[in-house]
Amino acid sequence: YISRIVANDRTILLDTELDLTSTLPGNEVNFSKIFGMPSGTGQIQIRSGSGESKIITINSIGTIQVE
């Protein structure tokens, strides 16, 4: 997001056996400091090379569910 402190950005390199897909706007989400409200809602799906899969869902009040 535009008002962030770029020096605090973190990049995480993933094993090439992992595949990430996202329905989040801009493929990112940020949570407000005080209330934890998300900048967007959606899902992130993580798939391994062995076929395992997890879906992380972020709703409008910032609750995260992992399936």
Side-chain angles (χ1 to χ4, degrees):
Y1 61 100
I2 294 172
S3 63
R4 77 184 190 277
I5 300 170
V6 177
N8 291 337
D9 284 0
R10 294 183 189 160
T11 300
I12 300 170
L13 299 176
L14 300 174
D15 188 320
T16 57
E17 294 290 316
L18 292 178
D19 180 46
L20 295 173
T21 55
S22 170
T23 63
L24 294 165
N27 291 324
E28 69 177 30
V29 65
N30 296 288
F31 296 89
S32 66
K33 287 184 180 181
I34 296 174
F35 297 108
M37 301 300 287
S39 59
T41 61
Q43 294 182 326
I44 301 167
Q45 183 173 24
I46 305 170
R47 278 186 239 138
S48 71
S50 65
E52 293 180 77
S53 180
K54 294 286 184 184
I55 297 175
I56 301 166
T57 303
I58 302 166
N59 71 16
S60 62
I61 60 170
T63 302
I64 297 173
Q65 179 179 356
V66 179
E67 301 169 27

